[in-house]
Amino acid sequence: SLSMMALKVVALLLSFAVIALGNVSPPHGHSAPVPTVVIDLDLAPEDRWTAVVKPYTAALAPIINYVKNEVPAAVFDIIEPLLGDLDAYLGKPWASEVKSVATATGYDLGEIVLMNLFYDVTSACTSVVAQTHNGSIIHGRNLDYSLPNLANITVKVNFTSQGQLVYQATTYAGYVGALTGMKPGAFSISLDQRDTNATILDNIREAFFRGGHSVGFTIREALQHNRTFEDAVSYLASVDLISVEYIIVGGITADQGAVLTREREDAIDIWRIQSPKQWFLVETNYDHWKPVPADDDRRGPANRFLEQYDSSNITMGALKKLMNTYPNLNGDTTYTTLMSAATGFYQVNTQNNP
């Protein structure tokens, strides 16, 4: 439909507002735990976030203002008439959840839609999956953004059904997608931005002719519906996306760790843990088979740190130390999540707090 086409143009314009990677500054301030909120999946999508996001209304203002300043004014003109057809573009139930955030906070629906798309295209990150002595997998991730005030809206979300935990995610209040999450007893997922030289023509082709999905909603879809590590890997390797990404997946038993290098259509590479030789994988924002740029080498220090260990003595404590060490922890890191689907461990700390 015309509205779908126009909203894809919006996503395309947003994809040019990508953070410039490189020259990471040292961290400042301290780490702090985040609040845990509960989203009841048994509620209608339009009711799920209401109570959760309302208290964050004021804290969202600097983020929304930042996005409005970064995005060309023409985007708002395109988006305004299309908001009645959000189901077609964002898909169900995500459109209803996004609408509920706008209703609960009183912000313009267009602003909330743009904020939800903006997070998909503007991050830098480090993700690590490693196999421990008993074959279980540990997974750490730092999410780096240059947006202001994100620590104030970072939350750990427990998604429940019939009172039982279904999956967990780390997100920002008002963003209904997930860039980091875990289904206990099954798998964990993190998303790293892929820095490519995609041409404007590539992006336009995607915007007009393909049914790409927002990656944040796609990860929630996987957490909600995929049952096993291999289910998640095959779904996340094949679903159409609106942007190119790395998706890092950890499982629960030996060799269940993978980095998916994604084009919009599908994965062009699936790099797996193959113990004992390849017992960990480090992904930052560059294809793992290519060298990283000299001004943004977070991969080398992470590899050297992990090479001090092996599968028999790596621990969550050691992984936590890595994720809290420069340059993997840097001045843009908004949060660190440590998780293990095998044990159900899920810990989130914001970084660079004053």
Side-chain angles (χ1 to χ4, degrees):
S1 73
L2 187 65
S3 62
M4 192 144 173
M5 196 180 287
L7 269 161
K8 289 214 171 124
V9 176
V10 170
L12 161 69
L13 289 169
L14 283 174
S15 69
F16 298 125
V18 170
I19 183 174
L21 298 168
N23 294 319
V24 288
S25 62
H28 49 86
H30 66 277
S31 151
V34 303
T36 300
V37 299
V38 176
I39 294 293
D40 182 354
L41 295 168
D42 301 329
L43 290 176
E46 50 273 21
D47 299 329
R48 288 174 186 167
W49 292 92
T50 312
V52 168
V53 297
K54 221 181 200 67
Y56 289 94
T57 303
L60 279 170
I63 293 63
I64 287 177
N65 289 334
Y66 180 91
V67 171
K68 282 164 77 171
N69 289 334
E70 289 290 309
V71 171
V75 171
F76 284 92
D77 299 337
I78 295 171
I79 215 172
E80 210 51 52
L82 310 171
L83 297 173
D85 196 18
L86 269 192
D87 283 352
Y89 174 68
L90 297 182
K92 294 176 179 178
W94 319 122
S96 298
E97 290 194 13
V98 168
K99 286 178 197 165
S100 79
V101 170
T103 306
T105 57
Y107 289 107
D108 184 79
L109 179 57
E111 294 170 346
I112 298 295
V113 169
L114 283 175
M115 184 179 76
N116 272 268
L117 292 172
F118 196 82
Y119 283 127
D120 282 11
V121 295
T122 56
S123 63
C125 335
T126 300
S127 290
V128 175
V129 280
Q131 183 168 315
T132 63
H133 67 97
N134 62 2
S136 67
I137 304 295
I138 56 177
H139 189 160
R141 82 96 93 251
N142 281 355
L143 186 52
D144 304 347
Y145 272 114
S146 55
L147 277 72
N149 293 72
L150 286 176
N152 300 337
I153 60 167
T154 304
V155 289
K156 172 180 162 182
V157 189
N158 289 344
F159 290 89
T160 64
S161 177
Q162 294 167 344
Q164 299 295 305
L165 179 65
V166 184
Y167 60 96
Q168 292 167 290
T170 312
T171 193
Y172 303 114
Y175 177 60
V176 307
L179 305 179
T180 310
M182 182 179 85
K183 187 170 203 161
F187 55 86
S188 51
I189 306 177
S190 60
L191 178 92
D192 289 10
Q193 180 192 321
R194 185 166 173 230
D195 195 38
T196 67
N197 296 318
T199 67
I200 292 174
L201 272 178
D202 294 335
N203 285 351
I204 287 174
R205 190 179 64 216
E206 166 61 21
F208 283 98
F209 302 116
R210 304 188 55 80
H213 298 81
S214 152
V215 71
F217 302 150
T218 299
I219 290 176
R220 273 201 50 200
E221 191 77 33
L223 290 164
Q224 214 150 306
H225 299 295
N226 293 151
R227 295 191 175 281
T228 66
F229 167 80
E230 289 298 348
D231 286 348
V233 168
S234 63
Y235 170 68
L236 294 166
S238 58
V239 62
D240 251 308
L241 296 178
I242 221 159
S243 47
V244 298
E245 306 285 356
Y246 301 105
I247 304 174
I248 300 85
V249 189
I252 52 174
T253 58
D255 294 339
Q256 289 192 337
V259 174
L260 284 56
T261 301
R262 283 293 319 243
E263 289 291 338
R264 295 186 174 91
E265 296 82 3
D266 54 20
I268 56 164
D269 182 78
I270 301 179
W271 182 34
R272 291 178 181 264
I273 288 180
Q274 292 176 304
S275 57
K277 193 168 182 292
Q278 181 87 55
W279 61 272
F280 70 83
L281 308 174
V282 170
E283 180 53 63
T284 55
N285 301 98
Y286 307 99
D287 294 347
H288 69 85
W289 60 92
K290 294 178 184 165
V292 296
D295 69 346
D296 187 23
D297 185 8
R298 289 164 288 129
R299 178 202 291 169
N303 281 333
R304 288 190 291 276
F305 181 96
L306 290 164
E307 282 157 6
Q308 303 171 81
Y309 299 86
D310 60 39
S311 205
S312 72
N313 62 10
I314 188 69
T315 60
M316 191 64 90
L319 185 57
K320 181 174 186 172
K321 188 177 173 191
L322 167 61
M323 304 317 275
N324 281 278
T325 303
Y326 181 75
N328 297 101
L329 174 67
N330 59 69
D332 281 340
T333 305
T334 66
Y335 69 73
T336 299
T337 297
L338 297 164
M339 49 192 169
S340 177
T343 62
F345 181 84
Y346 196 91
Q347 185 184 76
V348 187
N349 278 49
T350 51
Q351 301 283 11
N352 296 305
N353 292 289

